[in-house]
């Protein structure tokens, strides 16, 4: 363990602001882009009313780059992970400090394989070492460090965030008004490449399309199915039928029955795989049959096996795994991994309006390699359903306003 040197307090300045971005901007104005961050913390905001309301602000202590060698306090990492980053880098510590409270800390050091259709952020070349990556991140301009902190705070895997910033720096141009804006635009392009979109459900002429929806409990499958039924029946003027396999919850069947009555479309119920053929026979004249299933916990192997049997009996042309963006990074990945044994073909995202961060979606897309079809943006039926758009998903990662 290296002994900590005494900090030269006269050389350290402390800045307070209402947000991380604003505080870092003060640091950059005072010391330039190569400033050394010594400490960052969250403190109560000034003023009686702010304190009563529980409001906080950000405090950052920093110093000029030439003093960094002499002033930084080194602490040993409790459990160093080979993440391609120096865990003693204060910028790393800054990003971890502002990661959401639901995070358990740094993500595992290995990334899931990147699907071949999305190769925007390649891993380090074979001749490059993790230490070289860490040294390279020290040379990042201030705007790169800030964007890295934004990505990690949005629950993007730290290694993936490092890759994205490195790639954005490589392709960034000076066409924007400021270096920060130029790098942000480059990062948006990198993120866009990470999100494959599959477009709407296609209905080939003269063919019946069976489309099933699976996913964890509480993600909004039934409501989303009703939105799609309304869209294709009322707007596309197609003959739509509904089948529910969700007989575990009486409320789910009644909810779908009400939607079917409002839309004036047929509804069939199947409790077991043996009842599926009769239910589908009732839909013989339908162009599109939307099939609802019971929500299942990803770790419930018995129910997963049952779901596999039902889908084998139906043989749908498409199976959408419905995930809620409000689940957060861990919940999204657990759901994607839990349903990996089920042959789903696409992703459908719900509760866009309730999600605090979107970064977990990046890991899911990398892990599954599946395209995204639709996004649900609220509870209104038949509204609040849009086609997935790569650029809007990228903007969501960075917390930018949605269209």
């Amino acid at each position: 363990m290296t002994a900590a040197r005494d900090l030269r307090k006269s050389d350290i300045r402390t800045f307070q602001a209402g947000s991380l971005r604003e505080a870092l901007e003060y640091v950059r104005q005072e010391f330039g882009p190569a400033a050394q961050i010594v400490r960052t913390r969250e403190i109560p905001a000034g003023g009686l009313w702010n304190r009563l309301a529980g409001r906080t602000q950000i405090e950052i202590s920093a110093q000029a780059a030439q003093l960094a060698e002499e002033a930084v306090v080194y602490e040993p990492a409790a459990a160093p992970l080979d993440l391609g980053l120096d865990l003693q880098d204060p910028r790393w510590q800054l990003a971890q400090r502002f990661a959401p409270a639901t995070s358990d800390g740094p993500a595992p050091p290995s990334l899931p394989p990147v699907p071949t259709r999305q190769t925007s952020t390649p891993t380090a070349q074979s001749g490059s070492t993790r230490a070289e990556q860490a040294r390279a991140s020290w040379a990042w301009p201030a705007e790169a460090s800030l964007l890295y902190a934004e990505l990690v705070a949005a629950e993007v895997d730290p290694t993936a965030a490092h890759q994205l910033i490195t790639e954005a720096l490589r392709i960034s141009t000076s066409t924007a008004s400021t270096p920060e804006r130029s790098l942000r635009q480059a990062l948006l392009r990198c993120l866009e490449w990470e999100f494959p979109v599959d477009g709407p459900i296609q209905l080939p002429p003269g063919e019946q399309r069976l489309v099933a929806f699976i996913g964890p409990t509480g993600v909004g499958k039934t409501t989303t199915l009703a939105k799609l039924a309304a869209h294709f029946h009322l707007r596309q003027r197609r003959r739509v039928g509904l089948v529910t396999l969700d007989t575990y919850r009486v409320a789910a069947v009644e909810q779908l029955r009400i939607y079917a009555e409002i839309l004036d479309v047929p509804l069939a119920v199947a409790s077991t795989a043996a009842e599926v053929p009769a239910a589908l026979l009732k839909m013989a004249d339908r162009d599109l049959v939307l099939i609802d299933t019971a929500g299942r916990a990803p770790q419930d192997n018995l129910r997963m096996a049952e779901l596999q049997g039902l889908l084998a009996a139906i043989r749908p042309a498409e199976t959408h795994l419905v995930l809620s963006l409000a689940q957060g990074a861990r919940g999204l990945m657990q759901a994607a991994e839990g349903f990996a044994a089920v042959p789903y073909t696409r992703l459908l995202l719900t509760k866009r309006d309730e999600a605090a961060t979107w970064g977990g979606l990046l890991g899911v897309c990398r892990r599954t390699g599946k395209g995204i079809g639709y996004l649900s943006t609220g509870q209104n039926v038949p509204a609040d359903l849009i086609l997935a758009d790569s650029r809007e998903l990228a903007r969501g990662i960075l917390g930018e306003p949605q269209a």
Side-chain angles (χ1 to χ4, degrees), residues 30 35 67-68 84 95 97 139 177 192 195 214 217 248 286 334 355 382:
E30 180 68 20
L67 300 175
R97 171 65 184 80
S177 56
E192 282 184 60
F195 297 117
I214 64 174
T217 57
Y248 291 104
R286 301 288 99 180
Q334 285 179 343

Side-chain angles (χ1 to χ4, degrees), residues 12-35:
I12 298 175
R13 293 284 310 278
T14 298
F15 306 86
Q16 296 177 355
S19 67
L20 171 62
R21 176 187 291 273
E22 186 180 357
L24 287 176
E25 182 60 31
Y26 290 153
V27 172
R28 180 165 53 181
Q29 291 175 4
E30 180 68 20
F31 295 119

Side-chain angles (χ1 to χ4, degrees), residues 273-297:
E275 296 178 3
V276 166
L280 294 180
L281 185 61
K282 296 178 181 178
M283 304 293 158
D285 64 338
R286 301 288 99 180
D287 301 319
L288 173 65
V289 180
L290 302 174
I291 302 162
D292 194 16
T293 65
R296 284 162 169 81

Side-chain angles (χ1 to χ4, degrees), residues 207-219:
E207 295 183 19
Q208 184 184 72
R209 196 75 166 175
L210 302 180
V211 181
F213 299 84
I214 64 174
T217 57
V219 296

Side-chain angles (χ1 to χ4, degrees), residues 110-115 333 336-337 362-370:
S110 59
L111 272 179
V114 180
M333 188 59 73
E337 291 177 344
L362 178 63
V364 169
C365 288
R366 285 186 164 198
R367 179 64 59 89
T368 67
K370 303 299 183 183

Side-chain angles (χ1 to χ4, degrees), residues 71-275:
V72 176
V73 177
Y74 291 92
E75 295 287 346
L81 294 176
D82 184 15
L83 295 171
L85 292 170
D86 180 2
L87 295 184
Q88 306 302 334
D89 184 338
R91 290 172 298 188
W92 163 258
Q93 296 170 5
L94 175 68
Q96 287 300 107
R97 171 65 184 80
F98 291 96
T102 55
S103 173
D104 276 346
S110 59
L111 272 179
V114 180
T116 56
R117 64 190 289 183
Q118 301 296 321
T119 56
S120 61
T121 55
T123 56
Q125 297 179 359
S126 57
S128 175
T129 66
R130 295 291 192 180
E132 288 170 346
Q133 288 187 26
R135 285 195 294 271
S137 67
W138 273 99
W140 282 352
E143 55 268 18
S145 298
L146 176 60
L147 284 176
Y148 172 80
E150 283 191 38
L151 289 174
V152 175
E155 292 193 282
V156 173
D157 175 276
T159 308
H162 188 278
Q163 292 177 343
L164 287 163
I165 295 297
T166 301
E167 181 68 5
L169 285 166
R170 187 184 70 81
I171 69 172
S172 178
T173 64
S174 57
T175 56
S177 56
T178 64
E180 181 181 4
R181 188 59 191 164
S182 177
L183 183 60
R184 195 175 190 87
Q185 290 176 350
L187 179 58
L188 279 170
R189 291 200 299 274
C190 293
L191 286 168
E192 282 184 60
W193 299 333
E194 296 281 349
F195 297 117
V197 295
D198 280 356
I201 296 171
Q202 299 293 330
L203 301 182
E207 295 183 19
Q208 184 184 72
R209 196 75 166 175
L210 302 180
V211 181
F213 299 84
I214 64 174
T217 57
V219 296
K221 290 187 300 299
T222 303
T223 302
T224 302
L225 184 145
K227 294 175 184 178
L228 286 167
H231 170 78
F232 282 98
H233 180 64
L234 299 177
R235 298 180 183 175
Q236 299 293 323
R237 301 297 181 184
R238 307 305 294 263
R239 293 173 298 176
V240 177
L242 304 179
V243 173
T244 180
L245 310 178
D246 187 359
T247 57
Y248 291 104
R249 296 183 304 128
V250 175
V253 177
E254 289 306 311
Q255 180 186 16
L256 201 57
R257 192 183 306 279
I258 291 171
Y259 284 134
E261 291 176 356
I262 293 173
L263 296 172
D264 192 23
V265 299
L267 170 67
V269 179
S271 300
T272 65
E275 296 178 3

Side-chain angles (χ1 to χ4, degrees), residues 100 150-157 191 195 324-330 332-333 349-365 372 374-377 386-403:
E150 283 191 38
L151 289 174
V152 175
E155 292 193 282
V156 173
D157 175 276
L191 286 168
F195 297 117
S324 166
L325 283 170
Q327 289 177 283
R330 184 190 303 174
L332 284 167
M333 188 59 73
L349 307 175
T350 64
K351 303 188 180 182
R352 184 188 80 162
D353 55 315
E354 299 179 24
T357 62
W358 292 32
L361 180 59
L362 178 63
V364 169
C365 288
I372 305 168
Y374 297 91
L375 272 82
S376 174
T377 62
I386 61 175
L387 285 173
D389 178 86
S390 295
R391 183 164 182 80
E392 290 303 307
L393 291 169
R395 289 170 63 88
I397 296 288
L398 294 179
E400 297 193 356
Q402 300 293 299

